[in-house]
Amino acid sequence: MLRLEEWHQPDLFETKPSQSEVYRQLAEVLATADLSKYHPSEEPNTHWTNWPDSGGL
């Protein structure tokens, strides 16, 4: 239905998925099958260089 190459991934230690724009919009797309419901305003941050501490827990 929808394929994302990049998106704004919140820090889930600080932000609940329900408080995240991307997750709320994706839920709306899944619930309605209306792709126009996904219109993010936040810049993508999923490139690996944005998460230097990932995997270091």
Side-chain angles (χ1 to χ4, degrees):
M1 167 180 314
L2 178 66
R3 178 179 175 173
L4 301 178
E5 298 291 334
E6 55 187 12
W7 61 93
H8 182 86
Q9 176 64 39
D11 182 340
L12 296 178
F13 289 112
E14 297 177 11
T15 306
K16 294 178 183 179
S18 62
Q19 296 171 324
S20 166
E21 175 185 85
V22 69
Y23 286 119
R24 286 193 317 265
Q25 289 182 7
L26 289 174
E28 190 69 24
V29 168
L30 290 171
T32 64
D34 182 355
L35 297 179
S36 71
K37 300 289 184 181
Y38 184 72
H39 48 86
S41 64
E42 298 173 305
E43 290 291 319
N45 68 349
T46 51
H47 191 272
W48 69 269
T49 58
N50 293 318
W51 300 87
D53 295 330
S54 66
L57 294 176

